[in-house]
Short mmCIF file of all heavy atoms in Angstrom, two decimals:
data_model
loop_
_atom_site.label_atom_id
_atom_site.label_comp_id
_atom_site.label_asym_id
_atom_site.label_seq_id
_atom_site.Cartn_x
_atom_site.Cartn_y
_atom_site.Cartn_z
N LYS A 1372 91.62 -108.37 -231.38
CA LYS A 1372 91.08 -109.24 -230.34
C LYS A 1372 91.93 -109.27 -229.07
O LYS A 1372 91.40 -109.19 -227.96
CB LYS A 1372 90.89 -110.65 -230.89
CG LYS A 1372 90.12 -111.54 -229.98
CD LYS A 1372 89.74 -112.83 -230.65
CE LYS A 1372 88.82 -113.59 -229.72
NZ LYS A 1372 87.91 -114.44 -230.37
N GLU A 1373 93.24 -109.37 -229.20
CA GLU A 1373 94.11 -109.45 -228.02
C GLU A 1373 94.00 -108.18 -227.18
O GLU A 1373 93.93 -108.23 -225.95
CB GLU A 1373 95.57 -109.67 -228.41
CG GLU A 1373 95.82 -110.91 -229.26
CD GLU A 1373 95.48 -110.70 -230.74
OE1 GLU A 1373 95.70 -109.61 -231.28
OE2 GLU A 1373 94.97 -111.66 -231.34
N MET A 1374 94.02 -107.03 -227.82
CA MET A 1374 93.94 -105.76 -227.12
C MET A 1374 92.58 -105.60 -226.45
O MET A 1374 92.50 -105.23 -225.29
CB MET A 1374 94.19 -104.61 -228.10
CG MET A 1374 94.19 -103.23 -227.48
SD MET A 1374 92.57 -102.41 -227.34
CE MET A 1374 92.03 -102.37 -229.02
N VAL A 1375 91.53 -105.91 -227.15
CA VAL A 1375 90.18 -105.78 -226.59
C VAL A 1375 90.02 -106.70 -225.39
O VAL A 1375 89.50 -106.31 -224.36
CB VAL A 1375 89.11 -106.07 -227.66
CG1 VAL A 1375 87.72 -106.08 -227.06
CG2 VAL A 1375 89.19 -105.03 -228.78
N ALA A 1376 90.52 -107.93 -225.49
CA ALA A 1376 90.38 -108.91 -224.41
C ALA A 1376 91.13 -108.49 -223.15
O ALA A 1376 90.69 -108.80 -222.05
CB ALA A 1376 90.87 -110.27 -224.89
N THR A 1377 92.24 -107.79 -223.29
CA THR A 1377 93.00 -107.40 -222.11
C THR A 1377 92.62 -106.04 -221.55
O THR A 1377 92.73 -105.81 -220.35
CB THR A 1377 94.52 -107.40 -222.40
OG1 THR A 1377 94.80 -106.51 -223.46
CG2 THR A 1377 95.02 -108.79 -222.73
N VAL A 1378 92.15 -105.14 -222.39
CA VAL A 1378 91.88 -103.77 -221.93
C VAL A 1378 90.41 -103.52 -221.60
O VAL A 1378 90.10 -102.89 -220.59
CB VAL A 1378 92.35 -102.75 -223.01
CG1 VAL A 1378 91.99 -101.34 -222.62
CG2 VAL A 1378 93.85 -102.87 -223.24
N VAL A 1379 89.51 -104.01 -222.41
CA VAL A 1379 88.10 -103.64 -222.27
C VAL A 1379 87.40 -104.24 -221.06
O VAL A 1379 86.71 -103.51 -220.34
CB VAL A 1379 87.33 -103.90 -223.59
CG1 VAL A 1379 85.85 -103.63 -223.42
CG2 VAL A 1379 87.90 -103.02 -224.70
N PRO A 1380 87.51 -105.54 -220.78
CA PRO A 1380 86.80 -106.06 -219.60
C PRO A 1380 87.15 -105.35 -218.28
O PRO A 1380 86.25 -104.98 -217.53
CB PRO A 1380 87.17 -107.54 -219.58
CG PRO A 1380 87.41 -107.86 -221.02
CD PRO A 1380 88.10 -106.63 -221.57
N PRO A 1381 88.44 -105.09 -217.99
CA PRO A 1381 88.73 -104.34 -216.76
C PRO A 1381 88.19 -102.90 -216.79
O PRO A 1381 87.77 -102.37 -215.76
CB PRO A 1381 90.26 -104.32 -216.67
CG PRO A 1381 90.74 -105.36 -217.62
CD PRO A 1381 89.67 -105.56 -218.63
N LEU A 1382 88.17 -102.29 -217.98
CA LEU A 1382 87.63 -100.94 -218.11
C LEU A 1382 86.13 -100.94 -217.82
O LEU A 1382 85.62 -100.07 -217.11
CB LEU A 1382 87.92 -100.38 -219.50
CG LEU A 1382 87.32 -99.01 -219.83
CD1 LEU A 1382 87.78 -97.95 -218.84
CD2 LEU A 1382 87.69 -98.62 -221.26
N ILE A 1383 85.42 -101.92 -218.35
CA ILE A 1383 83.98 -102.04 -218.09
C ILE A 1383 83.73 -102.23 -216.60
O ILE A 1383 82.86 -101.58 -216.02
CB ILE A 1383 83.37 -103.18 -218.92
CG1 ILE A 1383 83.37 -102.82 -220.41
CG2 ILE A 1383 81.95 -103.51 -218.45
CD1 ILE A 1383 82.99 -103.95 -221.34
N ALA A 1384 84.50 -103.11 -215.95
CA ALA A 1384 84.35 -103.34 -214.51
C ALA A 1384 84.61 -102.06 -213.73
O ALA A 1384 83.86 -101.73 -212.79
CB ALA A 1384 85.29 -104.46 -214.05
N TRP A 1385 85.63 -101.31 -214.11
CA TRP A 1385 85.98 -100.05 -213.45
C TRP A 1385 84.82 -99.06 -213.56
O TRP A 1385 84.45 -98.41 -212.59
CB TRP A 1385 87.26 -99.50 -214.07
CG TRP A 1385 87.87 -98.35 -213.36
CD1 TRP A 1385 88.82 -98.39 -212.40
CD2 TRP A 1385 87.59 -96.95 -213.59
NE1 TRP A 1385 89.14 -97.11 -212.00
CE2 TRP A 1385 88.40 -96.21 -212.72
CE3 TRP A 1385 86.73 -96.27 -214.44
CZ2 TRP A 1385 88.39 -94.82 -212.67
CZ3 TRP A 1385 86.71 -94.88 -214.39
CH2 TRP A 1385 87.52 -94.18 -213.52
N LEU A 1386 84.25 -98.95 -214.75
CA LEU A 1386 83.12 -98.04 -214.96
C LEU A 1386 81.89 -98.49 -214.18
O LEU A 1386 81.20 -97.68 -213.57
CB LEU A 1386 82.82 -97.91 -216.46
CG LEU A 1386 83.89 -97.19 -217.29
CD1 LEU A 1386 83.69 -97.45 -218.77
CD2 LEU A 1386 83.91 -95.70 -216.99
N HIS A 1387 81.62 -99.79 -214.20
CA HIS A 1387 80.46 -100.31 -213.45
C HIS A 1387 80.60 -100.06 -211.95
O HIS A 1387 79.61 -99.77 -211.28
CB HIS A 1387 80.26 -101.80 -213.73
CG HIS A 1387 79.57 -102.07 -215.03
ND1 HIS A 1387 79.58 -103.31 -215.62
CD2 HIS A 1387 78.84 -101.28 -215.86
CE1 HIS A 1387 78.90 -103.27 -216.75
NE2 HIS A 1387 78.45 -102.04 -216.92
N GLU A 1388 81.82 -100.17 -211.42
CA GLU A 1388 82.06 -99.89 -209.99
C GLU A 1388 81.68 -98.45 -209.64
O GLU A 1388 81.32 -98.16 -208.51
CB GLU A 1388 83.54 -100.11 -209.64
CG GLU A 1388 83.94 -101.55 -209.58
CD GLU A 1388 85.45 -101.72 -209.44
OE1 GLU A 1388 86.17 -100.71 -209.21
OE2 GLU A 1388 85.92 -102.87 -209.57
N ARG A 1389 81.72 -97.58 -210.62
CA ARG A 1389 81.38 -96.17 -210.43
C ARG A 1389 79.95 -95.87 -210.88
O ARG A 1389 79.59 -94.74 -211.11
CB ARG A 1389 82.39 -95.30 -211.13
CG ARG A 1389 83.69 -95.25 -210.34
CD ARG A 1389 84.92 -95.16 -211.22
NE ARG A 1389 86.12 -95.23 -210.41
CZ ARG A 1389 86.71 -96.37 -210.04
NH1 ARG A 1389 86.21 -97.54 -210.44
NH2 ARG A 1389 87.79 -96.37 -209.29
N LYS A 1390 79.16 -96.92 -211.04
CA LYS A 1390 77.74 -96.82 -211.41
C LYS A 1390 77.53 -96.16 -212.77
O LYS A 1390 76.56 -95.45 -212.99
CB LYS A 1390 76.94 -96.06 -210.35
CG LYS A 1390 77.13 -96.58 -208.94
CD LYS A 1390 76.48 -97.93 -208.77
CE LYS A 1390 76.51 -98.37 -207.32
NZ LYS A 1390 77.35 -99.49 -207.03
N ILE A 1391 78.44 -96.42 -213.70
CA ILE A 1391 78.33 -95.88 -215.06
C ILE A 1391 77.90 -97.01 -215.98
O ILE A 1391 78.53 -98.06 -216.05
CB ILE A 1391 79.66 -95.26 -215.52
CG1 ILE A 1391 80.02 -94.08 -214.61
CG2 ILE A 1391 79.59 -94.84 -216.98
CD1 ILE A 1391 81.38 -93.50 -214.85
N GLU A 1392 76.81 -96.78 -216.69
CA GLU A 1392 76.31 -97.72 -217.68
C GLU A 1392 77.29 -97.74 -218.85
O GLU A 1392 77.81 -96.70 -219.25
CB GLU A 1392 74.93 -97.27 -218.14
CG GLU A 1392 74.25 -98.16 -219.13
CD GLU A 1392 72.91 -97.59 -219.57
OE1 GLU A 1392 72.35 -96.72 -218.89
OE2 GLU A 1392 72.44 -98.04 -220.62
N VAL A 1393 77.52 -98.91 -219.43
CA VAL A 1393 78.50 -99.04 -220.51
C VAL A 1393 77.84 -99.66 -221.74
O VAL A 1393 77.07 -100.60 -221.64
CB VAL A 1393 79.69 -99.92 -220.07
CG1 VAL A 1393 80.69 -100.09 -221.21
CG2 VAL A 1393 80.38 -99.34 -218.84
N HIS A 1394 78.18 -99.09 -222.90
CA HIS A 1394 77.77 -99.62 -224.20
C HIS A 1394 79.03 -99.82 -225.03
O HIS A 1394 79.95 -99.01 -224.95
CB HIS A 1394 76.86 -98.64 -224.94
CG HIS A 1394 75.60 -98.31 -224.20
ND1 HIS A 1394 74.46 -99.06 -224.31
CD2 HIS A 1394 75.31 -97.32 -223.32
CE1 HIS A 1394 73.52 -98.55 -223.55
NE2 HIS A 1394 74.01 -97.49 -222.93
N VAL A 1395 79.07 -100.87 -225.82
CA VAL A 1395 80.18 -101.08 -226.73
C VAL A 1395 79.63 -101.13 -228.16
O VAL A 1395 78.45 -101.39 -228.37
CB VAL A 1395 80.97 -102.37 -226.42
CG1 VAL A 1395 81.61 -102.30 -225.05
CG2 VAL A 1395 80.12 -103.61 -226.57
N ASP A 1396 80.51 -100.87 -229.11
CA ASP A 1396 80.09 -100.95 -230.50
C ASP A 1396 80.19 -102.40 -230.99
O ASP A 1396 80.74 -103.27 -230.31
CB ASP A 1396 80.91 -100.00 -231.38
CG ASP A 1396 82.36 -100.41 -231.51
OD1 ASP A 1396 82.90 -101.07 -230.59
OD2 ASP A 1396 82.98 -100.06 -232.53
N VAL A 1397 79.64 -102.64 -232.14
CA VAL A 1397 79.56 -103.98 -232.71
C VAL A 1397 80.95 -104.58 -232.91
O VAL A 1397 81.17 -105.76 -232.62
CB VAL A 1397 78.77 -103.95 -234.04
CG1 VAL A 1397 78.77 -105.32 -234.71
CG2 VAL A 1397 77.36 -103.45 -233.80
N GLU A 1398 81.92 -103.78 -233.37
CA GLU A 1398 83.27 -104.27 -233.62
C GLU A 1398 83.93 -104.73 -232.33
O GLU A 1398 84.62 -105.76 -232.29
CB GLU A 1398 84.13 -103.19 -234.29
CG GLU A 1398 83.71 -102.88 -235.70
CD GLU A 1398 82.58 -101.85 -235.79
OE1 GLU A 1398 82.05 -101.41 -234.74
OE2 GLU A 1398 82.20 -101.49 -236.91
N THR A 1399 83.74 -103.98 -231.25
CA THR A 1399 84.33 -104.35 -229.96
C THR A 1399 83.68 -105.63 -229.43
O THR A 1399 84.36 -106.53 -228.97
CB THR A 1399 84.16 -103.20 -228.95
OG1 THR A 1399 84.80 -102.02 -229.49
CG2 THR A 1399 84.79 -103.53 -227.62
N GLN A 1400 82.36 -105.70 -229.51
CA GLN A 1400 81.63 -106.88 -229.05
C GLN A 1400 82.07 -108.12 -229.83
O GLN A 1400 82.16 -109.21 -229.28
CB GLN A 1400 80.13 -106.68 -229.21
CG GLN A 1400 79.29 -107.86 -228.75
CD GLN A 1400 79.20 -107.97 -227.24
OE1 GLN A 1400 79.18 -106.96 -226.57
NE2 GLN A 1400 79.16 -109.17 -226.74
N GLY A 1401 82.38 -107.95 -231.11
CA GLY A 1401 82.79 -109.06 -231.95
C GLY A 1401 84.15 -109.63 -231.61
O GLY A 1401 84.48 -110.75 -231.99
N CYS A 1402 84.96 -108.89 -230.87
CA CYS A 1402 86.31 -109.36 -230.52
C CYS A 1402 86.35 -110.21 -229.26
O CYS A 1402 87.25 -111.02 -229.10
CB CYS A 1402 87.24 -108.17 -230.35
SG CYS A 1402 87.63 -107.34 -231.89
N VAL A 1403 85.41 -109.98 -228.36
CA VAL A 1403 85.42 -110.71 -227.09
C VAL A 1403 84.01 -110.72 -226.52
O VAL A 1403 83.25 -109.79 -226.74
CB VAL A 1403 86.44 -110.07 -226.10
CG1 VAL A 1403 86.05 -108.68 -225.71
CG2 VAL A 1403 86.67 -110.94 -224.89
N GLU A 1404 83.66 -111.77 -225.81
CA GLU A 1404 82.34 -111.89 -225.19
C GLU A 1404 82.22 -110.87 -224.07
O GLU A 1404 82.93 -110.94 -223.07
CB GLU A 1404 82.15 -113.30 -224.65
CG GLU A 1404 80.79 -113.58 -224.08
CD GLU A 1404 79.75 -113.86 -225.15
OE1 GLU A 1404 80.13 -114.25 -226.26
OE2 GLU A 1404 78.56 -113.69 -224.85
N LEU A 1405 81.32 -109.90 -224.22
CA LEU A 1405 81.12 -108.86 -223.21
C LEU A 1405 79.65 -108.85 -222.82
O LEU A 1405 78.78 -108.91 -223.68
CB LEU A 1405 81.53 -107.49 -223.76
CG LEU A 1405 83.00 -107.35 -224.17
CD1 LEU A 1405 83.21 -106.04 -224.94
CD2 LEU A 1405 83.90 -107.42 -222.97
N ASN A 1406 79.39 -108.72 -221.54
CA ASN A 1406 78.02 -108.72 -221.04
C ASN A 1406 77.53 -107.29 -220.84
O ASN A 1406 77.18 -106.90 -219.72
CB ASN A 1406 77.94 -109.53 -219.74
CG ASN A 1406 76.51 -109.82 -219.35
OD1 ASN A 1406 75.61 -109.78 -220.19
ND2 ASN A 1406 76.29 -110.09 -218.09
N VAL A 1407 77.55 -106.52 -221.90
CA VAL A 1407 77.07 -105.13 -221.88
C VAL A 1407 76.30 -104.87 -223.17
O VAL A 1407 76.48 -105.59 -224.15
CB VAL A 1407 78.23 -104.11 -221.74
CG1 VAL A 1407 78.92 -104.24 -220.40
CG2 VAL A 1407 79.23 -104.23 -222.87
N PRO A 1408 75.44 -103.85 -223.17
CA PRO A 1408 74.70 -103.56 -224.41
C PRO A 1408 75.63 -103.24 -225.57
O PRO A 1408 76.63 -102.53 -225.42
CB PRO A 1408 73.86 -102.33 -224.03
CG PRO A 1408 73.78 -102.35 -222.55
CD PRO A 1408 75.05 -102.98 -222.07
N CYS A 1409 75.29 -103.79 -226.72
CA CYS A 1409 76.06 -103.59 -227.94
C CYS A 1409 75.19 -102.83 -228.94
O CYS A 1409 74.08 -103.28 -229.24
CB CYS A 1409 76.47 -104.95 -228.49
SG CYS A 1409 77.27 -104.89 -230.09
N ILE A 1410 75.69 -101.70 -229.41
CA ILE A 1410 74.93 -100.90 -230.37
C ILE A 1410 75.87 -100.37 -231.46
O ILE A 1410 77.08 -100.30 -231.26
CB ILE A 1410 74.19 -99.72 -229.70
CG1 ILE A 1410 75.14 -98.86 -228.87
CG2 ILE A 1410 73.06 -100.20 -228.83
CD1 ILE A 1410 74.49 -97.67 -228.21
N ALA A 1411 75.31 -100.02 -232.57
CA ALA A 1411 76.10 -99.44 -233.66
C ALA A 1411 76.68 -98.11 -233.22
O ALA A 1411 76.08 -97.37 -232.43
CB ALA A 1411 75.22 -99.24 -234.89
N ARG A 1412 77.86 -97.78 -233.72
CA ARG A 1412 78.51 -96.51 -233.36
C ARG A 1412 77.60 -95.31 -233.62
O ARG A 1412 77.54 -94.39 -232.82
CB ARG A 1412 79.80 -96.32 -234.17
CG ARG A 1412 80.91 -97.23 -233.76
CD ARG A 1412 82.15 -96.99 -234.57
NE ARG A 1412 83.18 -97.96 -234.20
CZ ARG A 1412 84.38 -97.97 -234.72
NH1 ARG A 1412 84.73 -97.09 -235.63
NH2 ARG A 1412 85.25 -98.89 -234.33
N GLU A 1413 76.90 -95.34 -234.74
CA GLU A 1413 76.05 -94.22 -235.12
C GLU A 1413 74.91 -94.00 -234.14
O GLU A 1413 74.38 -92.91 -234.03
CB GLU A 1413 75.49 -94.41 -236.53
CG GLU A 1413 76.53 -94.38 -237.63
CD GLU A 1413 77.36 -95.66 -237.75
OE1 GLU A 1413 76.97 -96.71 -237.16
OE2 GLU A 1413 78.41 -95.61 -238.41
N ALA A 1414 74.51 -95.03 -233.39
CA ALA A 1414 73.41 -94.94 -232.44
C ALA A 1414 73.88 -94.60 -231.02
O ALA A 1414 73.06 -94.32 -230.15
CB ALA A 1414 72.63 -96.25 -232.42
N MET A 1415 75.17 -94.63 -230.78
CA MET A 1415 75.68 -94.38 -229.43
C MET A 1415 75.41 -92.98 -228.92
O MET A 1415 75.19 -92.78 -227.74
CB MET A 1415 77.18 -94.65 -229.36
CG MET A 1415 77.54 -96.07 -229.15
SD MET A 1415 79.29 -96.18 -228.70
CE MET A 1415 79.43 -97.94 -228.54
N GLY A 1416 75.44 -92.00 -229.79
CA GLY A 1416 75.30 -90.60 -229.38
C GLY A 1416 74.05 -90.31 -228.57
O GLY A 1416 74.06 -89.42 -227.72
N ASP A 1417 72.99 -91.06 -228.80
CA ASP A 1417 71.74 -90.87 -228.06
C ASP A 1417 71.77 -91.52 -226.68
O ASP A 1417 70.91 -91.25 -225.86
CB ASP A 1417 70.56 -91.47 -228.84
CG ASP A 1417 70.27 -90.71 -230.12
OD1 ASP A 1417 70.50 -89.48 -230.15
OD2 ASP A 1417 69.82 -91.35 -231.09
N LYS A 1418 72.73 -92.39 -226.43
CA LYS A 1418 72.72 -93.20 -225.21
C LYS A 1418 73.84 -92.87 -224.23
O LYS A 1418 73.80 -93.32 -223.09
CB LYS A 1418 72.82 -94.67 -225.58
CG LYS A 1418 71.78 -95.11 -226.56
CD LYS A 1418 71.12 -96.36 -226.09
CE LYS A 1418 70.10 -96.83 -227.10
NZ LYS A 1418 68.77 -96.70 -226.64
N ILE A 1419 74.88 -92.14 -224.67
CA ILE A 1419 76.07 -91.97 -223.82
C ILE A 1419 76.36 -90.50 -223.52
O ILE A 1419 75.93 -89.61 -224.24
CB ILE A 1419 77.30 -92.63 -224.46
CG1 ILE A 1419 77.63 -91.99 -225.81
CG2 ILE A 1419 77.10 -94.13 -224.58
CD1 ILE A 1419 78.92 -92.46 -226.44
#
C-alpha cells in the first residue's frame, strides 16, 4: 500500500499528461483509490 500510494498516482498523472490511457490491475486498485479503469491482469493484454 505505501509503495503504490507514493509511486502510482504520479505515474498515472504523468501518463495522462501524455494522452496515454491507463489501466491498473485489481491488486493495485485495492491498495489505493485510483480513478482509472481496473481490470484483471489476464484481460490487460487486449487493452494495452
